[in-house]
Amino acid sequence: LSFVSLPVRLTGLLGEAQSLSESRRLKEFIEDSESEALALFDPSHRADSRSGDWYGEHAGKWLVAAARAALRNPSPDWNSRLEGVLLHLRACQEEDGYLGAYAQDAACRFTHPDAPKNRTWDIWVHAWAILGLTECCRIDALRELAEPIATKIGGLLLNTFHSEPGAALRQGNHGGLSSLVILEPLTKLSRLTGNPAYARLALGILEAAESHGLAFLTLPPKDVSEIGTGKIYQIIWCLQGILDLADFLDRPDLAAAVEAHWTAIGDRHLTPYGGPWGGIGGHKEVFNSPGFFHPGGLVETCSSATWLTLTQAMFLRSGDPRFLAEIEKTALNAILGAMDANGRDWCYFTFPNGRRNNTYHWACCKSSGAMALEACSQALLVEEEGTLSICQWWPFETVLPDGRELRLELRAGTVFLSASQATNLRLFVPEWATTEFQSGSFIQVTATPEGLAIPFTVPPQVIPHTHTVDHHGQEIVREDYACVRMGPFVFATGKFDGYAAHRTLRLPRLNPESTLKVVDDHAIDLIQAGCKPIRLEPYCLAGGRHDGGWRTTWLEVAWQ
Ligand SMILES: [Zn+2]
């Protein structure tokens, strides 16, 4: 199978979020070469930079997000903004290809012999720069400018690590994971240029990682919490790199290892709203041990963003619809649920049960959130051997390369599909929708100018979870929880009666859904005898979309 992803303009909740992020986050965070995230690369700023910080990542992440925004919403304004940033980066790039933010003689440079003894994020920063530059190469008008900057970085990486690829892993924290992320950028460089040397270096680094204990490839697979420090964001990004490398080098064994980890993360390490969670037992950004449960589990927005794009890559290479539900859940709940209504601010951590906390100016998660929003359009409309497939029931409109217009709308209980000329295509019917067709599969339809309407029902669902802990065969903890889903959304409530973080609800074991009264697509009342109804809303809207808002997703339950 060979899938080609086409640019799509989203409308609805996701589309509104993309537009806000485009105008507020993307166009305000970097305006020109004076903007802080770019000024870091200026020789004058560089001269004082020796602390090995990671802030340089924002320029590359911005390029990824802005290039995607420019592809879905092309304009001369976007092209000139992107061109300005590329020209600045080119001016800051040193003769040997270095494009980091550290002083020329700083020991934290990845080219410095003492780099392994120092705090350094230099490989990480260059990894983001390469991804940003390769994303810009998707825009025809920018490729001539962006590609040489990227290949010069690639050349420096080859010169530095060619003779001993494993040396890269001695730099970068989290046991080398923060350097191993270079797998994906190196593979992308090979795809872009057709030069396999970058991918060969990536393979050398991966093989060194395996022999130094960063074991992604052992069978049966280690749990992800046991790889390196268990750092979620890095591990998922490494998996994405291994997957890309597997396809470039035609190594199905590597792809099988990634798929095994993907399945294990899905089974053991996700919150109900799709984010990979951790942080209760150790460092706040590492996977928990499998089976650990806490309603206040931490989800880093960077981890959700990377989980989304890994899952999209899994789908795009296989066409397997089982990945689509996971993409939808993470996009509409974890990603949208981390963004503030102002389009600028993001939570670093979100919690099934907990407070929204907008993060600080330089936080990684703000750039990752904006990138993930732009990624949402990517695996929505795909083409396989001339046939279009619509992969989600997300409202969108697009103009196909041959000029045909295509539009999907959701109207009370109906999915409505129209095209400016009759178009045969495949439409995915999500698991959550009950229609005359088989859920969870693609169907053949014809979109016409008059439109095609498919009615559906979407019943709310109570999902129970019993958390138990055993000690020497004796059960010492038993707590009952439930959460509510309807359609693509996980539902949550704010504080009970406006102030209480906890309340135990009584739900009938048989047909707990009988306590739910659907008000509309975005509102459900949970009825408890003798009390005011408890209003549930989609996780991304519940409790207010601003700093300080509270969400309760896991409801404590006394089963009746
Ligand atoms: Zn982050």
Side-chain angles (χ1 to χ4, degrees), residues 158-172:
L158 286 175
N159 288 338
T160 310
F161 298 116
H162 178 71
S163 56
E164 195 197 348
L169 301 169
R170 291 200 289 274
Q171 304 185 21

Side-chain angles (χ1 to χ4, degrees), residues 34 36 38-49 101-103:
E34 309 276 298
E36 288 167 297
L38 278 190
L40 288 177
F41 294 86
D42 245 84
S44 59
H45 279 78
R46 246 185 213 155
D48 302 321
S49 169
Y102 302 154

Side-chain angles (χ1 to χ4, degrees), residues 12-210:
L13 269 182
L14 270 173
E16 286 161 23
Q18 276 185 341
S19 302
L20 263 178
S21 170
E22 181 181 353
S23 58
R24 294 286 171 70
R25 168 68 188 178
L26 295 179
K27 291 195 174 176
E28 289 177 4
F29 182 59
I30 292 188
E31 289 182 83
D32 53 38
S33 58
E34 309 276 298
S35 301
E36 288 167 297
L38 278 190
L40 288 177
F41 294 86
D42 245 84
S44 59
H45 279 78
R46 246 185 213 155
D48 302 321
S49 169
R50 297 167 184 282
S51 64
D53 269 324
W54 47 270
Y55 303 125
E57 70 164 32
H58 287 288
K61 286 179 160 181
W62 184 89
L63 282 175
V64 173
R68 287 174 184 165
L71 281 161
R72 73 169 165 79
N73 188 20
S75 69
D77 178 49
W78 259 133
N79 278 16
S80 75
R81 283 169 184 266
L82 282 159
E83 189 185 8
V85 170
L86 292 172
L87 287 171
H88 180 75
L89 290 176
R90 188 174 72 178
C92 295
Q93 188 167 36
E94 293 175 10
E95 203 38 54
D96 65 358
Y98 184 84
L99 190 53
Y102 302 154
Q104 228 161 17
D105 58 345
C108 47
R109 277 205 180 196
F110 76 79
T111 48
H112 197 285
D114 288 338
K117 295 184 216 149
N118 285 277
R119 176 176 192 258
T120 173
W121 285 88
D122 213 19
I123 293 180
W124 174 277
V125 167
H126 282 83
W128 277 117
I130 294 172
L131 289 188
L133 292 161
T134 51
E135 202 71 19
C136 288
C137 290
R138 295 174 60 201
I139 300 170
D140 294 339
L142 298 176
R143 179 162 179 164
E144 203 179 324
L145 177 57
E147 185 174 329
I149 310 175
T151 53
K152 269 178 91 171
I153 300 174
L156 183 60
L157 288 165
L158 286 175
N159 288 338
T160 310
F161 298 116
H162 178 71
S163 56
E164 195 197 348
L169 301 169
R170 291 200 289 274
Q171 304 185 21
N173 41 38
H174 293 284
L177 286 172
S178 299
S179 296
L180 189 58
V181 300
I182 199 70
L183 299 179
E184 189 200 9
L186 285 172
T187 311
K188 283 233 158 81
L189 273 181
S190 279
R191 282 187 194 284
L192 180 72
T193 60
N195 176 359
Y198 310 108
R200 279 204 294 265
L201 174 62
L203 185 64
I205 296 174
L206 177 62
E207 285 167 349
E210 287 299 307

Side-chain angles (χ1 to χ4, degrees), residues 61 233 285 300-303 348 363-365 368:
K61 286 179 160 181
Y233 179 16
E285 299 166 6
E300 189 194 350
T301 300
C302 291
S303 305
Y348 198 122
C364 47
C365 292
S368 296

